[in-house]
Structure formats: structure tokens, C-alpha cells
Amino acid sequence: MNLDRRALLGGAGFGVLPQLARAQARQTIRLGVITDMSGAFADLSGPNAVLAVRQAVQDAASLGLKVEVVAADHQNKPDIAVNIARQWFDREGVDALVDVPASSAALAVNAVVREKNKAFLASAPGTSELTGAQCSPNTVQWTYDTWMLANSTARAVVREGGDSWFFVTADYAFGHSMEVEGGKIIGAEGGKVIGNARFPFPGTTDFSAFLLRAQASKAKVIGLAFGGTDMANAVKQATEFGLQKRGQRLAALILFISEVHSMGLETAKGLVCSTSYYWDTNDRTRALTQRMKQNFGAPPATMVQAGCYGVVLHYLKAVADLGVAAAKADGAATVARMRAMPTDDDAFGPGGIRADGRKLHPAYLVEVKSPAESRGPWDYYKVLRTVPADQAFRPMAEGGCPLV
């Protein structure tokens, strides 16, 4: 058989290119962002969470790593999140999952990550089970959790006289956890929970029936145990009903700056909430905000988006320290290296990660400004109190994590 030069080179190329692609894949860290692109959590997480991950990759350029970022919309459904995770791990060489809004989806993904020995860099999920009974050597819970939110917000409101509560709660893992943690703090401070109403999640847009039940309870405080666009809708409807004018106070156990932006200061003014990140806290947070704006045209980050930035940056530092091959081979070893290294980034400053996977940093009790108090766009919060990192999160001995 006679083979000309073109055929010979072509045949050689078909043999070499797949080998080259496989070699490059072995040297490349792949990050998979599972998020909500169009649902209730799209503004607090969503597309801008992906941009925050890309910003972290840019800021880690000096580490000399090859990094690829892929993203998918899980529609806040656990089964879809699990299917995405398995496909990415089994077929697409993803090494770490990032974000994953909706605690029910995060808990489902948490098990898959451990099974596949990858890394889970959780920013959006709030359930404290991720560092409690369902903690994993493969998972870091970076940004916040239900204990932190309840500890800061509920405690402050009770101490100000809000000693009777009615919870309006999203009927899924995060809402349940928030209600339970909040109830414990309220009881410890001498208050009481006199009732609750749970609404289907996702899909509820009319909160009138639940708010009217809260009104009828005559509780001093209506605790809103949910977030995302649901929060904006519920607060607007509560304002229309005049609940605050009748003497009942709204307590947003979780509130994101994107929701304040959606409601407007006239509606949101006076709401008290807790956060672990605010873009105007210091020079470093303002510098990060400016880079995100210049590079991507992004608005100031929510704490979830900032968490995506911080956890990915620290993960990449751990990968560089451990070595790419070792990191790709063993997600638990990479997370162990993350725990062993001190953390420091422009969103959260210096901190650390405990043995149960809980990232430690300060929490801020903030109040939404009135329109007259705001100095300009996105100037929405005034800080009432800073909770130190060693007090902001649940004591590790109380979480029930089997790793501890």
C-alpha cells in the first residue's frame, strides 16, 4: 500500500492530538459552577456568581495554574444538580463544584462529591447540616449558614423587645433549618415562637395568605425564613398590607443586597439582617468591587457571589501548594490542604477553615438605610454590630460533625 506524505502526517496527527488533549486535561483544573440562572436565586447567585469565580481565576494568575470554568443551571432542583455533578465528574473531568444554591440541592450534591472524591466549594447553601451531621472531608462551607444568621439577627431583635415570633418559612431544607436555629436562639434569649406558616418552594409568588396568618397571630415579630426574589415579593406585600404600621416588625433572617436593590430603599428601609460581606466595608472590598465592574460590568457582589470568589481563590492556592496532579487525584486531600492553610482574600480578609469544613470570618448585623441616608448607588447598609469570627458561627462541638 502506498501512502503519500499528507496521509502519513494526517494519520500521525490523529494519533497525537488525543494524547495531547489528554495530557492538557491532566494539567488543567476544571471548576464547575452549579447555580440558578433564572429562578429565585438568580440575582443573589446566578450569572454573577460565575463572574466572581472568573475573577478569582484572574486574581490567581500568578500561581501559574491552567484553569477552566464551566457552569450549569440546576433550577434549584436536587435531582438536576446531582445529574449535572455526575456528568461533570464522570465525563467532563470537573475537579470541584462551586456554589449550589438551595440547601436541598447542596445536601444531595454533597454526597456525590464525597463518593467521587472531588471538592465541594459551597457558597450559596445555608443549611448548617453541611458542617453538622452531614459534614464531609470533601466540603468547605464558606460564606454563611443558618446558625450564623439566627445567632446575629434573631438575638439582636429579641434583645430589642421582639420576644414573640411568627415564622413564614420556605418549605425545604434551608427554611426548616433557619426556623429551627432561629427558634433555639429566640428561646435562649427568653422569647417564644407562637406559630408558623410554610409555603411551597419554589413557585410561590403570592404570600398574602401566609402574611395574614402572621398578622392574625399578633406576634411582635414576623420572621421571614427564606431569601431570593421571594423575600422581595413578601416584603413588598407586607408593606401593602401595612403590617409594620400596625406594630408588627419584619425580621429578614436572610437578606441579600440584590433583594434590597430590587425592593428599593423606600420599601426595605429599616430591615435588619446579617451578612458576612458588604462591598463598602473597607479598601479591599471596594477594590474587588471595582475590578469586577471593570472586568465584567458586574454590580457589587452579594455575600454569596463574594463567597464564590473567596473560596475559589483559596482552593486554587491549595491546588498550587499541593500540586495539580495530587489535587485532581484526591479532592479530600485538597480540602485538607485548604483547612491547613490560613485564608486571606479581598472579600473576607484573613481567616481559617475548621475541621468540620466551616470557614470562619466576622459577621455583620446591618440595617437598610433610608433613601435620605444613602449617599449613592448601592450605598444600602449601615453596620450596627460586628460579630467576631470566633463568635459568629456555631461552636464546633455543638454541630455533631462526625469528623470532629
Side-chain angles (χ1 to χ4, degrees):
M1 181 180 295
N2 294 324
L3 296 176
D4 62 21
R5 184 171 181 272
R6 181 179 300 174
L8 182 62
L9 290 175
F14 281 110
V16 171
L17 288 177
Q19 295 178 19
L20 179 61
R22 286 193 293 270
Q24 290 175 339
R26 286 195 294 270
Q27 299 168 3
T28 301
I29 291 294
R30 299 203 83 203
L31 303 171
V33 186
I34 296 181
T35 190
D36 174 7
M37 291 296 189
S38 58
F41 302 140
D43 290 339
L44 67 89
S45 181
N48 286 339
V50 181
L51 297 183
V53 171
R54 295 189 184 280
Q55 184 63 57
V57 172
Q58 287 190 21
D59 288 357
S62 62
L63 298 175
L65 302 172
K66 295 180 181 178
V67 183
E68 293 180 356
V69 179
V70 296
D73 183 356
H74 70 333
Q75 302 172 44
N76 300 317
K77 297 179 180 178
D79 57 335
I80 295 178
V82 165
N83 289 339
I84 292 169
R86 289 193 179 279
Q87 178 175 328
W88 278 354
F89 292 153
D90 294 342
R91 303 177 189 175
E92 300 183 30
V94 166
D95 302 295
L97 298 185
V98 187
D99 201 21
V100 194
S103 292
S104 52
L107 291 171
V109 161
N110 190 51
V112 178
V113 172
R114 187 169 187 172
E115 172 194 336
K116 299 294 184 179
N117 195 19
K118 302 295 185 176
F120 182 15
L121 313 179
S123 180
T127 175
S128 53
E129 284 293 289
L130 284 174
T131 55
Q134 298 193 45
C135 70
S136 164
N138 298 72
T139 296
V140 173
Q141 189 175 24
W142 189 271
T143 309
Y144 70 102
D145 60 33
T146 51
W147 195 96
M148 180 212 95
L149 298 170
N151 178 61
S152 180
T153 306
R155 194 181 302 277
V157 172
V158 174
R159 289 180 178 180
E160 291 177 359
D163 56 4
S164 63
W165 287 60
F166 185 99
F167 277 102
V168 178
T169 303
D171 192 9
Y172 77 114
F174 172 80
H176 299 172
S177 182
M178 177 68 73
E179 185 179 316
V180 169
E181 299 289 359
K184 290 178 181 178
I185 297 295
I186 292 163
E189 290 294 322
K192 59 182 179 180
V193 178
I194 62 177
N196 72 335
R198 293 181 173 179
F199 64 86
F201 175 87
T204 299
T205 57
D206 184 357
F207 295 88
S208 57
F210 311 104
L211 292 171
L212 290 173
R213 286 177 60 187
Q215 180 185 21
S217 75
K218 301 189 184 304
K220 293 180 182 178
V221 182
I222 301 173
L224 305 178
F226 51 93
T229 54
D230 291 340
M231 176 65 73
N233 290 336
V235 172
K236 288 177 182 177
Q237 290 172 26
T239 301
E240 292 170 0
F241 292 153
L243 298 188
Q244 298 98 314
K245 292 180 179 179
R246 293 186 173 94
Q248 288 181 301
R249 183 174 185 180
L250 297 180
L253 292 183
I254 183 168
L255 182 69
F256 295 90
I257 197 169
S258 55
E259 295 152 12
V260 175
H261 187 73
S262 174
M263 285 184 270
L265 293 183
E266 187 59 41
T267 298
K269 65 182 179 183
L271 282 174
V272 174
C273 63
S274 297
T275 185
S276 58
Y277 172 83
Y278 177 46
W279 72 270
D280 201 20
T281 300
N282 54 50
D283 289 343
R284 294 183 73 179
T285 58
R286 287 187 283 271
L288 173 60
T289 300
Q290 187 62 27
R291 289 200 303 279
M292 290 282 292
K293 182 178 180 180
Q294 290 177 342
N295 293 335
F296 306 110
T302 67
M303 66 170 165
V304 163
Q305 292 155 2
C308 289
Y309 169 85
V311 71
V312 166
L313 185 62
H314 189 63
Y315 170 79
L316 294 177
K317 291 176 182 178
V319 169
D321 190 63
L322 188 64
V324 172
K328 291 179 72 67
D330 193 338
T334 311
V335 170
R337 187 61 57 93
M338 292 175 71
R339 291 198 301 266
M341 298 170 61
T343 66
D344 193 17
D345 62 80
D346 283 350
F348 299 90
I353 303 171
R354 297 190 313 203
D356 60 356
R358 175 69 264 162
K359 164 66 165 53
L360 300 179
H361 42 245
Y364 306 101
L365 182 70
V366 299
E367 181 179 329
V368 178
K369 292 181 175 181
S370 69
E373 293 173 311
S374 178
R375 298 166 299 172
W378 296 95
D379 178 32
Y380 293 162
Y381 290 159
K382 50 186 175 185
V383 178
L384 303 178
R385 182 163 64 97
T386 299
V387 183
D390 61 347
Q391 300 174 28
F393 294 93
R394 180 179 59 196
M396 187 162 60
E398 297 179 9
C401 172
L403 302 176
V404 177

